[in-house]
Every structure is written in C-alpha cells, then in structure tokens.
Amino acid sequence: MSHNLKLTNSLTGNKELFKPINPKSITMYACGPTVYDNPHVGNARTLIVFDTLFRVLKKIYEKVNYVRNITDVDDKIIEASKKNKKTINEITEEVTKIFHLNCKSLNCLKPTMEPKATNHINEMIEMTKSLIKKNFAYEANGHVYFSVSSFKNYGALSNKNLEELKAGSRIEVSKLKKNPMDFVLWKPSEEGDPGWESPWGRGRPGWHLECSVMSEKYLGKQFDIHGGGLDLIFPHHENEIAQSCSNNSSEKFSNYWVHNGFVTINKEKMSKSLGNIISITEAVNKYSGQVVRLALLSAHYSQPLDWNNKLLENQRSTIEKWYRLYDETNDEIPLEVINILLDDLNTPGFIAKIHELYANANKGDEKSKKLFNSACKFIGLFDLNKNEWENLKKANKDISEEFILKKIAERLAAKQKGDYKLADQIRDELLKKGIIIEDQKGKTTWKFK
Ligand code: AMP
Ligand code: ZN
C-alpha cells in the first residue's frame, strides 16, 4: 500500500518522510513506566500517543513489532518500598497491575512485547562487560561508568555539547567519575536492596542500560522508531544512543525519535515531584477512559496539553453527542481518511474530520455515518457499545462529585446530631468506592484512593 507517513524526528527537528528499514516488518520501541507509583495522566499521554502511532503503522504495514518495557528496578522503587513498608515485589506487581488496568480502560492495544528490566540483568551485565572491554566504560569501586568523552556524537539528540554540559553539571558529582557527565551503567547495592552478582560485586544496573539491551534483543541493533516523553531526550535517550552505538560500532541506533509534549496543570509539567498529579485511575473513574483518551488526543502530540475541567467537560459532551450516532459498523477505514493522521499523527485534524463526518451523518448521510463510526473506532474510541456506555454512566453516577459532596454533607449532619455511627458508615461507604475523605481545620476534603 502506498502512503506518505511523516514524523517529526527529534534527531533533526524536521518533519521527515518515514522510510522503514524493512517495510515488511516495522520496529518501534517506547519507554514504558517505572512501576513505583500509580501512573498519572502525563504517563497516559505517552501511552496513548504511541498506541495511536501503533494503530496507524498496523494499518499501513503488514507487521509491526512494538516493544514497551517495564522498569521494575530503580532507586525510586527502592525508596517507595522503604516508605510504604512493602517489599519491592509487592510494589512492582501492584503498580504493574494498576498500569495494565489503566491501559485497558484507555483502550490501548497490547504491545507486541512488554519486557521487564529484571528479566534482562544478565544481558545488561554482558553489555557492561563489553563496553569496558572496548574502552567505552570503566570500573571504579564497584561502580561502572560510561565515559561520555569516548563517544564523539554525545549530545547530538539533545543538541547539547559536552563543554556546556560540564559547565552546567552540579558540583557534588561522585569523585569516582573521570568526567562529571559520565553516567552509571552498574552500581553497588546495599544489603537488603535488590542486587545481582556481577564481576564488579553485588549491584544493579543504571536505568539507561535496560532500553539499549531490550531494544536490541527484540528489535535488532538498528530499528525504526524510538519514542517517549520529552523529558526522556536528555539524559535517558542520549545515553541509550551512546551505549548502543559504542557497543555496536554503529552510526545509528533508532532512525526516528518521536517525543510527546507534556501534560501540564496550570502550565506546569504534571509530575510526582511537583505533587500536581492526577492518577489515570482517578481521571478514568471521573470521566471514563474514552473521554480521557479523546482529551489526550485533542492536541498535537508535540505540543503541551493543559489538563483542566473545561477540557474534560468538552470531551465528555463530545463523546456523549457522538454516541447518538453509534452503530456496530467497523469497516476498514479508507486511506484518504487516515491521510490526516499520516501527516505527523495529526490527531486534532483527525478529530475535526470526525466532527465533519458526524455533521453529515446527522443530516442522514449513511455513508458518513459508517465512516464516522469506523473513524472513532480507529483511534480507539467507541470500545463500548451504546448499552455498555449507558451502563457505565449509570455506575459512575454513584461516584460523581455531586454524589460525594452529598454524602459528605450527610456525614456532617450526622456528626452534628452526635450520630457518629452513621458518620463512620458514610465514610466507609465512600471508601469502598475508592474515595478517601479527610477532616482538616473544620473542613472535609476528598480524594481518590
Ligand atoms: P516514568 O514512569 O516517569 O518513567 O514515565 C513514563 C513515561 O511518561 C515517559 O515516557 C515520560 O516521558 C512520560 N511522562 C512523564 N510525565 C509526563 C507528562 N507530564 N506529560 C507527558 N508525558 C510524561
Ligand atoms: Zn528507555
């Protein structure tokens, strides 16, 4: 099938025509979650952007291998385990389970493969050994560092030069490093922390190594597309390139680098460290997976997307309206409709097209109605039929904000009458629905569990 897929390649900053290595089998890798805490709406954007690209690639090529990893060894996981008094396994298994439920509610297709870092420790040790042997890395007191000055293209993806990076690096760098920009491939683990035996003692890998190892194992030394959020360009992706190209004596690792912009709240990046996150579970419970999905596709992937009630309410009324013309059609969507998405995954343009098809269908045009339904399904909407959608809404009524505020008022009234038993019952009833209420300074607030 002839087509013209274009993608903005972070390597060049240009929108480029996509030329696959092997058109019979496309290879794509996207960095997946670090499973230490409930995934948030920012993480959902990366998920949905690459899920949509996966759908587009599947439409125009015979076969697509899409690998999305799970980072299940990381300092943040160790910290979370200590803070919550849970074992590492408990945390990673629990968060992975939530992540998979989230993927399902957002109607993301399963990637071809979902490898875990901890299942690839041997390969990471082998790659580290090989980098040392080839003089790209050195050992210092149980640590192994990658020597950035040994890799001439360091900084090419992020457009940074080594001198600038050195000047900008913080003072308290480890004395073990030869150069402050050198990054860790392997580090010692304290007793009680996860660790594996290695030629450098008991330890664990640095974060960047897993993606070099797993992408090569499942997609080859060179592959088509590598994706992730904008924050991964530096240092994560820069370091993946340095590791893989050095070890394989190659010029290229991934041919196209695609990065999605941030989800923001009041113009600030949504992130755990800023404490402004909304979990996917919370957003989905409040608005439904489809509404969240449509909201995340409403802006072009390269742009920031501000998360606010108005955005969500608008998407909710759109989905609500679109369901009026729902039917069971799921015809193959013609290429001329997909063309909009082939232009650098122009999801806002595609959504505008769906609105146009809806308007025509609403005037009684049957062909538009079929196209409208196929187009919605193509980008992962209408995964519930009309009945299921109505049932979901009924079930969700129970946890609408209105319902919660009503229950809080009833509880307050019970407390004022001295009926603490009823007050506690109401608190438990909300807790069962995943709502936690907190009394502070005479006011009651609520949040999702
Ligand atoms: P993490 O679990 O932090 O490793 O992140 C998983 C993915 O979510 C990465 O591709 C991040 O770049 C992406 N990500 C994290 N925060 C945001 C955000 N606020 N907006 C968009 N993408 C994000
Ligand atoms: Zn990665």
Side-chain angles (χ1 to χ4, degrees):
M1 198 187 281
S2 78
H3 67 82
N4 268 331
L5 173 62
K6 291 191 192 116
L7 292 170
T8 297
N9 189 351
S10 310
L11 263 181
T12 58
N14 296 330
K15 190 151 92 174
E16 295 175 8
L17 184 65
F18 175 66
K19 292 185 197 139
I21 298 170
N22 172 9
K24 295 222 173 310
S25 179
I26 306 302
T27 42
M28 174 162 84
Y29 187 97
C31 296
T34 306
V35 281
Y36 73 108
D37 202 355
N38 286 359
H40 58 76
V41 170
N43 305 138
R45 188 172 194 197
T46 309
L47 267 178
I48 285 173
V49 164
F50 291 96
D51 177 68
T52 308
L53 182 54
F54 184 37
R55 287 167 187 262
V56 169
L57 291 165
K58 275 162 72 89
K59 168 82 186 167
I60 57 180
Y61 293 104
E62 273 171 57
K63 190 167 173 238
V64 184
N65 283 319
Y66 168 33
V67 177
R68 186 185 64 210
N69 67 308
I70 289 194
T71 302
D72 59 350
V73 51
D74 184 87
D75 290 354
K76 284 187 270 187
I77 302 174
I78 298 175
E79 266 168 46
S81 140
K82 286 179 184 156
K83 198 175 134 210
N84 301 316
K85 302 202 168 44
K86 287 184 182 170
T87 65
I88 303 274
N89 274 350
E90 275 167 351
I91 297 220
T92 56
E93 274 169 27
E94 195 179 299
V95 178
T96 304
K97 213 182 266 166
I98 294 173
F99 172 70
H100 284 148
L101 286 174
N102 291 159
C103 290
K104 207 162 166 240
S105 356
L106 296 171
N107 196 23
C108 290
L109 303 176
K110 280 202 173 121
T112 326
M113 228 174 281
E114 197 177 48
K116 285 183 186 175
T118 50
N119 289 338
H120 298 77
I121 302 290
N122 281 343
E123 287 101 323
M124 287 193 250
I125 292 175
E126 286 310 311
M127 185 160 182
T128 306
K129 273 168 45 184
S130 164
L131 284 166
I132 295 176
K133 201 164 149 214
K134 294 174 184 169
N135 273 327
F136 291 109
Y138 56 92
E139 196 227 330
N141 202 13
H143 296 69
V144 180
Y145 293 106
F146 184 92
S147 167
V148 289
S149 58
S150 69
F151 181 59
K152 68 175 190 329
N153 280 338
Y154 196 78
L157 177 70
S158 53
N159 265 321
K160 292 179 193 284
N161 79 42
L162 213 51
E163 290 313 309
E164 260 171 43
L165 284 172
K166 257 190 238 169
S169 74
R170 286 197 247 134
I171 316 293
E172 82 279 6
V173 276
S174 162
K175 287 195 188 72
L176 300 171
K177 290 187 187 180
K178 291 183 184 164
N179 176 328
M181 290 318 298
D182 291 350
F183 60 88
V184 75
L185 298 174
W186 189 264
K187 61 182 167 189
S189 287
E190 280 173 30
E191 224 185 286
D193 286 351
W196 292 263
E197 288 310 323
S198 81
W200 321 284
R202 186 178 170 277
R204 61 184 187 275
W207 170 38
H208 317 299
L209 203 52
E210 65 182 87
C211 293
S212 281
V213 159
M214 295 191 277
S215 61
E216 179 171 335
K217 179 164 178 184
Y218 299 110
L219 301 176
K221 288 183 172 29
Q222 197 175 343
F223 53 94
D224 293 314
I225 301 171
H226 195 317
L230 209 57
D231 51 343
L232 299 189
I233 294 185
F234 189 86
H236 185 52
H237 290 162
E238 198 71 74
N239 292 351
E240 284 184 32
I241 296 176
Q243 294 163 162
S244 295
C245 288
S246 303
N247 200 39
N248 297 329
S249 320
S250 56
E251 280 292 310
K252 271 272 178 78
F253 169 49
S254 170
N255 287 345
Y256 299 84
W257 286 84
V258 178
H259 291 102
N260 62 275
F262 295 139
V263 171
T264 58
I265 287 208
N266 296 326
K267 307 278 180 251
E268 268 186 328
K269 182 191 171 196
M270 184 182 287
S271 75
K272 187 86 185 123
S273 55
L274 287 172
N276 61 354
I277 57 161
I278 294 172
S279 71
I280 302 178
T281 312
E282 176 181 346
V284 162
N285 279 344
K286 194 165 171 189
Y287 293 103
S288 85
Q290 291 188 78
V291 169
V292 172
R293 187 171 176 109
L294 184 62
L296 288 168
L297 291 174
S298 67
H300 188 258
Y301 75 82
S302 61
Q303 300 299 312
L305 173 70
D306 204 56
W307 196 256
N308 54 61
N309 282 341
K310 189 161 168 262
L311 169 78
L312 274 301
E313 290 306 335
N314 282 343
Q315 311 307 316
R316 171 144 61 194
S317 52
T318 299
I319 295 278
E320 192 56 49
K321 183 177 93 174
W322 285 354
Y323 260 105
R324 283 185 220 146
L325 293 188
Y326 174 90
D327 74 21
E328 299 287 334
T329 317
N330 197 5
D331 292 349
E332 272 289 302
I333 188 142
L335 207 54
E336 78 219 37
V337 184
I338 301 291
N339 262 336
I340 306 171
L341 284 174
L342 296 191
D343 183 13
D344 201 17
L345 211 65
N346 179 4
T347 52
F350 192 74
I351 291 167
K353 179 76 189 174
I354 299 181
H355 278 292
E356 189 189 308
L357 291 169
Y358 176 87
N360 292 338
N362 212 19
K363 285 182 209 144
D365 179 14
E366 278 305 309
K367 188 170 169 243
S368 293
K369 188 173 174 189
K370 279 190 182 313
L371 276 178
F372 159 76
N373 273 278
S374 304
C376 284
K377 284 167 195 162
F378 185 75
I379 51 164
L381 303 174
F382 282 180
D383 55 322
L384 302 179
N385 67 29
K386 198 163 178 167
N387 252 344
E388 289 165 337
W389 170 249
E390 292 301 330
N391 287 339
L392 179 83
K393 279 198 305 185
K394 259 185 233 142
N396 273 359
K397 260 212 184 104
D398 264 13
I399 50 164
S400 68
E401 185 160 20
E402 205 185 336
F403 172 83
I404 298 164
L405 294 178
K406 192 174 127 235
K407 285 287 157 191
I408 290 177
E410 282 174 19
R411 178 170 164 265
L412 181 68
K415 272 170 62 174
Q416 281 165 350
K417 274 195 243 150
D419 191 348
Y420 292 101
K421 199 170 155 219
L422 177 62
D424 284 349
Q425 269 173 10
I426 295 172
R427 177 198 286 267
D428 290 349
E429 185 191 341
L430 285 171
L431 195 62
K432 269 193 206 131
K433 294 186 192 298
I435 311 294
I436 300 175
I437 51 178
E438 279 167 0
D439 299 313
Q440 240 179 15
K441 294 186 191 142
K443 264 189 90 177
T444 305
T445 54
W446 67 272
K447 63 180 187 193
F448 284 100
K449 212 168 20 178

